[in-house]
């Protein structure tokens, strides 16, 4: 596609449930990033992929969060046993190579845990 | 750890006027990049302008320019001839050259351009 695509756009889930958030980066972009943006705050780094491997996952808050990018393109952010505090907008971005080049963002998935 | 501070939660400007958004950052590193992103209500972050720390010349992109003061660790954004479409949240961001996958963002400034 022409831009970074994130699905779903909005997701409401019950506390304790499992969710998957999908990111389709721009074709040919080797670097992919996940950020979490809470209301009134800036994006907070979660994880960065270079190709298929997670080059830096230091931002994942705990072991309930996991992300994969098995073929070096689409990525899925997985959250187990969701908590109300996980409610936020989850942003995905991709760039041609490393982060010092322009990163293109998707429109995010707004996750609401009730 | 790197930190980015945007001290102005909200700003407003009249259409066609000039406005400056402030950003300061803290790092002990020497090689890094700084960015300003715009986030309209659609939530999609859009790159406005970028500055390499090793360059002394301030970056400019049409109506957008920065005042980069490396010693003061300051990186302000100037928007000239403000337009209604500039209304959005603006985020300052920092990337270390040695860890170029991880951006650190400020908490943003909400800019409103008034007709």
């Amino acid at each position: 596609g022409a831009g970074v695509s994130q699905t779903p756009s909005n997701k409401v889930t019950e506390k304790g449930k499992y969710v998957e958030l999908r990111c389709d980066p721009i074709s040919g972009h080797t670097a992919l990033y996940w950020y979490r943006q809470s209301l009134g705050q800036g994006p907070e780094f979660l994880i960065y992929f270079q190709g298929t491997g997670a080059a830096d996952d230091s931002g994942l808050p705990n072991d309930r969060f996991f992300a994969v990018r098995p073929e070096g393109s689409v990525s899925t952010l997985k959250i187990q046993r969701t908590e109300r505090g996980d409610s936020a907008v989850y942003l995905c971005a991709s760039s041609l190579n490393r982060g010092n080049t322009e990163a293109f963002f998707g429109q995010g998935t707004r996750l609401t845990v009730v | 750890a790197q930190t980015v501070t945007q001290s102005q939660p909200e700003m407003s400007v009249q259409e066609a006027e000039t406005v400056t958004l402030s950003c300061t950052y803290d790092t002990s590193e020497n090689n890094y990049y700084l960015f300003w992103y715009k986030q309209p209500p659609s939530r999609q972050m859009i790159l406005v302008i970028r500055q390499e720390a090793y360059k002394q010349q301030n970056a400019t992109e049409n109506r957008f320019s920065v005042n980069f003061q490396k010693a003061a660790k300051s990186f302000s954004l100037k928007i000239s001839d403000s337009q209604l479409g500039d209304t959005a949240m603006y985020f300052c961001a920092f990337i270390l050259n040695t860890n170029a996958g991880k951006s650190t963002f400020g908490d943003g400034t909400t800019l409103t351009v008034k007709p």
Side-chain angles (χ1 to χ4, degrees), chain A residues 9 33 35 37 41-43 45 48 56 58 98-103 105-108 110, chain B residues 33 35 37 39 42-45 47 50 91 95 97-103 105-107:
Chain A
S9 179
Y33 320 86
Y35 290 85
Q37 187 175 19
Q41 297 182 12
F45 171 79
Y48 154 54
D56 185 346
S58 62
R98 299 169 73 212
N100 53 8
T101 56
E102 181 176 357
F105 282 79
Q107 291 186 304
R110 182 181 298 282
Chain B
Y33 296 78
F35 302 81
Y37 283 92
Q39 186 178 43
S42 67
R43 300 196 306 237
Q44 187 168 19
M45 303 276 278
L47 179 66
R50 153 189 133 130
F91 291 94
I95 291 181
N97 198 31
T98 53
N99 187 8
K102 179 177 181 176
S103 294
F105 286 81
D107 282 339

Side-chain angles (χ1 to χ4, degrees), chain A:
Chain A
V4 177
S5 174
Q6 290 188 247
T7 54
S9 179
N10 292 283
K11 174 74 177 176
V12 180
T13 191
E14 291 181 348
K15 179 175 177 295
K17 297 289 189 182
Y18 168 83
V19 296
E20 290 189 353
L21 312 180
R22 177 187 168 105
C23 173
D24 261 291
I26 293 173
S27 178
H29 280 193
T30 63
L32 185 145
Y33 320 86
W34 284 99
Y35 290 85
R36 177 168 70 175
Q37 187 175 19
S38 300
L39 191 63
Q41 297 182 12
E44 176 189 20
F45 171 79
L46 294 177
I47 187 169
Y48 154 54
F49 287 91
Q50 183 64 43
T52 60
D56 185 346
D57 64 357
S58 62
L60 294 176
N62 52 59
D63 61 6
R64 294 187 298 106
F65 288 75
F66 190 70
V68 295
R69 193 185 186 201
E71 297 178 358
S73 179
V74 170
S75 176
T76 305
L77 178 65
K78 309 180 179 192
I79 310 174
Q80 298 178 323
R81 305 183 303 280
T82 51
E83 300 177 357
R84 292 196 178 87
D86 299 334
S87 296
V89 173
Y90 289 81
L91 295 169
C92 176
S94 70
S95 64
L96 191 59
N97 198 343
R98 299 169 73 212
N100 53 8
T101 56
E102 181 176 357
F104 295 84
F105 282 79
Q107 291 186 304
T109 294
R110 182 181 298 282
L111 175 66
T112 304
V113 182
V114 296

Side-chain angles (χ1 to χ4, degrees), chain B residues 13-70:
Chain B
V13 63
Q14 291 295 133
E15 194 175 7
E17 297 290 306
T18 295
V19 65
T20 298
L21 307 184
S22 301
C23 172
T24 58
Y25 58 94
D26 189 23
T27 183
S28 58
E29 302 289 336
N30 203 40
N31 297 315
Y32 51 87
Y33 296 78
L34 294 160
F35 302 81
W36 278 99
Y37 283 92
K38 171 184 177 181
Q39 186 178 43
S42 67
R43 300 196 306 237
Q44 187 168 19
M45 303 276 278
I46 302 164
L47 179 66
V48 174
I49 199 164
R50 153 189 133 130
Q51 175 81 42
E52 293 91 338
Y54 65 86
K55 288 188 178 178
Q56 293 187 337
Q57 186 174 6
N58 289 324
T60 63
E61 286 287 341
N62 301 314
R63 298 182 295 108
F64 299 88
S65 62
V66 299
N67 182 3
F68 174 48
Q69 301 289 328
K70 191 172 183 180

